[in-house]
Amino acid sequence: MQQTVPMAEEGKAIMAARDGWTGILEEGEEILWQGRPDAGKWLEGKGVGTFLVLGFIFAAFLYTPVTDWLDSGQGVGALMPVMALVGGLVVFLGAGLLSLRWKHRRTWYTLTDRRAFIATVGLIKGRKLRDYWLHPGRKIELHKTEPPSVIFDTRVVQKGDSTQCVETGFKHIAEAEKVHALMKDCQARWNEMDV
């Protein structure tokens, strides 16, 4: 479940959190919103459904040969290569799904009147804090998924012979419409700010 601060306590929580931002925020920069992704929605994308369907087909396909094999008297030892293959697939695909869960549980979002921050704690890379200026040229989109997301950066990543577009933003947040409106307002006031 997404952890958000109750509206009555929001101002106090943001002021307390501001003390930890010394040396990061510029003078006069104000925190407008803080939140986290909904960790309950960690199975994202069409890949999960495909994984489940293919797993079912694979299991159904193996059912008859496995039962015939056991009935033939060759024993469980003859199934070891098949079990190793299935076990390897489960570990390989499961690790990818668990890494998504890890990522969502160790991600924090902060919106100021000038920038969007994404803080993460990775298994290998450790702590990372990235910021994105909300200048008028930045494209900010509201994705009405469940839960919704606010996307504000897209980059192209080269993986071998293929390229992949990676979207960055405040993903899987219940307050996406409110945050999107705040970000658009920050962009509109950009020229008034002394940045």
Side-chain angles (χ1 to χ4, degrees):
M1 188 73 174
Q2 181 176 352
Q3 297 179 6
T4 56
V5 179
M7 295 301 265
E9 297 294 317
E10 191 173 87
K12 293 178 191 173
I14 288 175
M15 289 308 293
R18 187 167 186 359
D19 296 337
W21 289 87
T22 305
I24 298 171
L25 298 182
E26 295 185 345
E27 188 173 327
E29 189 171 5
E30 294 182 33
I31 295 173
L32 303 176
W33 175 85
Q34 291 183 308
R36 297 181 68 186
D38 185 349
K41 299 289 185 184
W42 57 279
L43 294 176
E44 61 181 299
K46 296 176 185 171
V48 175
T50 304
F51 169 69
L52 293 175
V53 169
L54 290 177
F56 178 75
I57 291 170
F58 185 70
F61 177 75
L62 284 181
Y63 178 76
T64 301
V66 168
T67 54
D68 289 347
W69 209 337
L70 290 173
D71 289 341
S72 71
Q74 292 183 19
V76 178
L79 287 177
M80 284 304 172
V82 173
M83 290 173 24
L85 174 67
V86 171
L89 284 172
V90 167
V91 168
F92 177 73
L93 295 172
L97 295 175
L98 287 176
S99 70
L100 281 175
R101 185 174 176 90
W102 171 275
K103 181 180 173 183
H104 281 183
R105 288 183 179 262
R106 283 148 185 87
T107 300
W108 295 265
Y109 302 137
T110 300
L111 175 65
T112 72
D113 58 347
R114 300 175 194 176
R115 294 183 277 179
F117 289 90
I118 300 177
T120 56
V121 177
L123 285 169
I124 297 171
K125 295 182 181 180
R127 294 175 149 196
K128 189 163 46 169
L129 179 66
R130 293 171 299 173
D131 67 328
Y132 302 85
W133 289 93
L134 301 175
H135 55 78
R138 182 170 299 281
K139 186 176 178 181
I140 300 172
E141 297 178 330
L142 176 63
H143 288 199
K144 294 191 176 189
T145 54
E146 185 53 44
S149 300
V150 180
I151 303 300
F152 46 80
D153 191 57
T154 304
R155 58 184 160 69
V156 177
V157 177
Q158 185 76 30
K159 289 190 176 186
D161 292 339
S162 65
T163 57
Q164 179 181 0
C165 287
V166 178
E167 294 180 329
T168 302
F170 295 159
K171 295 182 178 180
H172 307 293
I173 56 171
E175 299 175 306
E177 289 187 26
K178 170 188 168 186
V179 172
H180 182 257
L182 285 169
M183 293 176 92
K184 288 294 196 177
D185 186 50
C186 291
Q187 278 188 318
R189 290 185 289 117
W190 179 269
N191 293 330
E192 300 168 17
M193 288 187 269
D194 190 24
V195 282

